[in-house]
Amino acid sequence: MKIAFSPCPNDTFIFYAWVHGLIPGAPELDVTYADIDVTNYLATRPDGPDVLKVSCAALPWVLRDYALLPCGGALGKGCGPLILTKEAMEPEFLAGKRVAVPSDRSTAYLLFRLWVSRHVPQGVGEIRVMPFHRIMPAVQAGEVDAGLVIHEARFTYPSYGLHMLVDLGEWWERDTGLPIPLGAIIARRHLDREAIAGWIRASVRHAWTHPEEPMEYVLRHAQEMDAEVAKAHINLYVNEFSANLGRDGYGAIRTLLTRAAEEGLVPSWDASSLEE
């Protein structure tokens, strides 16, 4: 079975057991490790993988061919994207400025645009898409005026001498009372999605039961990340929603995509296609 997910610690932690043949009855995986911006577009191709990790924001483009799975993704509280600047600034600083983002089909980007529409009515300037690990160095070097960052950047941005302009996750939670719907696992609609979800849940449970076992694999793919940072990343992003989206998980995804569609940020979509 072909699968694509990011090399980030939460994904490699979740899929470790399945990748290593530790889930009885699960097929062998042919894994593509790719940045979320790559997997978002892989899902739009006719020859895209059987199973993928994508941003929740990318779902309106892919739900015709893929179905959302109820587990394996990344949702939560206190784990949202940040807008960083070189100096401490107020929101109006962003008017007309260059902003680096990790993907234009990411939840981070949708949250950013929704927040900007309320707090920077003049609008930002140039948007530059770049791999997320390049964003903080770009802000530090002055290549861009601000950066939208995700994942472990929450823990490491002070080491670059950067300042947080806003925590978009905190804003989202305060505004909606819902978790932040960051990443989703999708599978081709013709596949046995119940079986795939079962294999993913078994892989998550194995990692939770043996948390040190996946760490060599996690760190091998984590782009020289410190082990303690990787563990903090896992503890933040691998949570109850990784095992089951539940009512709040589905509600968060629906709310995000409905608001984004109203702003013209994503195509119109059929909420029933989420198949809760």
Side-chain angles (χ1 to χ4, degrees), residues 77-88:
K77 296 192 173 183
C79 61
L82 311 177
I83 302 174
L84 303 179
T85 53
K86 196 171 183 178
E87 305 292 340

Side-chain angles (χ1 to χ4, degrees), residues 101 107-118 123-125 127 148 168 171 263 265:
V101 304
T107 297
Y109 184 70
L110 291 191
L111 291 176
F112 170 68
R113 299 304 309 203
L114 292 171
W115 178 85
V116 163
S117 70
R118 296 191 187 184
V124 298
I127 297 295
L148 178 65
L168 292 173
W171 167 74
E263 292 282 339
L265 299 173

Side-chain angles (χ1 to χ4, degrees), residues 19-273:
V19 169
H20 290 82
L22 302 176
I23 306 302
E28 182 178 350
L29 289 177
D30 176 1
V31 183
T32 296
Y33 301 96
D35 187 80
I36 193 71
D37 191 45
V38 175
T39 62
N40 283 345
Y41 284 93
L42 279 178
T44 67
R45 291 169 43 173
D47 60 346
D50 302 306
V51 180
L52 296 98
K53 167 74 171 290
V54 297
S55 171
C56 290
L59 290 172
W61 282 274
V62 303
L63 284 173
R64 184 187 67 179
D65 299 313
Y66 286 91
L68 173 67
L69 296 184
C71 55
L75 293 88
K77 296 192 173 183
C79 61
L82 311 177
I83 302 174
L84 303 179
T85 53
K86 196 171 183 178
E87 305 292 340
M89 295 293 180
E90 296 299 322
E92 55 266 24
F93 165 77
L94 293 178
K97 294 297 193 295
R98 300 162 298 171
V99 183
V101 304
S103 171
D104 57 2
R105 288 190 182 177
S106 66
T107 297
Y109 184 70
L110 291 191
L111 291 176
F112 170 68
R113 299 304 309 203
L114 292 171
W115 178 85
V116 163
S117 70
R118 296 191 187 184
H119 296 89
V120 191
Q122 310 95 315
V124 298
E126 179 189 357
I127 297 295
R128 295 188 187 177
V129 177
M130 60 177 65
F132 76 88
H133 65 275
R134 286 191 51 218
I135 291 176
M136 289 191 293
V139 177
Q140 185 184 48
E143 295 174 28
V144 294
D145 301 299
L148 178 65
V149 299
I150 55 177
H151 299 327
E152 67 275 2
R154 292 186 63 86
F155 313 112
T156 60
Y157 77 86
S159 68
Y160 289 83
L162 302 180
H163 297 263
M164 181 176 66
L165 189 148
V166 65
D167 182 331
L168 292 173
E170 184 179 282
W171 167 74
W172 168 263
E173 292 171 44
R174 190 170 58 248
D175 196 56
T176 67
L178 293 167
I180 306 132
L182 297 170
I185 303 296
I186 57 175
R188 289 279 180 189
R189 288 191 174 272
H190 70 271
L191 297 174
D192 186 340
R193 303 194 296 274
E194 185 175 345
I196 295 170
W199 297 325
I200 293 172
R201 287 187 173 119
S203 194
V204 172
R205 286 195 296 269
H206 182 98
W208 276 337
T209 304
H210 311 280
E212 292 301 321
E213 189 179 315
M215 291 311 297
E216 187 278 330
Y217 170 68
V218 167
L219 292 172
R220 189 179 350 126
H221 291 281
Q223 298 172 332
E224 301 181 0
M225 189 187 302
D226 177 83
E228 292 308 309
V229 173
K231 288 179 180 179
H233 179 117
I234 291 165
N235 290 338
L236 188 59
Y237 294 105
V238 184
N239 52 44
E240 73 228 50
F241 297 107
S242 304
N244 184 26
L245 282 176
R247 179 179 298 177
D248 281 353
Y250 280 102
I253 295 170
R254 285 197 188 94
T255 300
L256 175 71
L257 298 182
T258 298
R259 290 187 177 191
E262 289 171 352
E263 292 282 339
L265 299 173
V266 302
S268 60
W269 64 290
D270 179 5
S272 67
S273 62

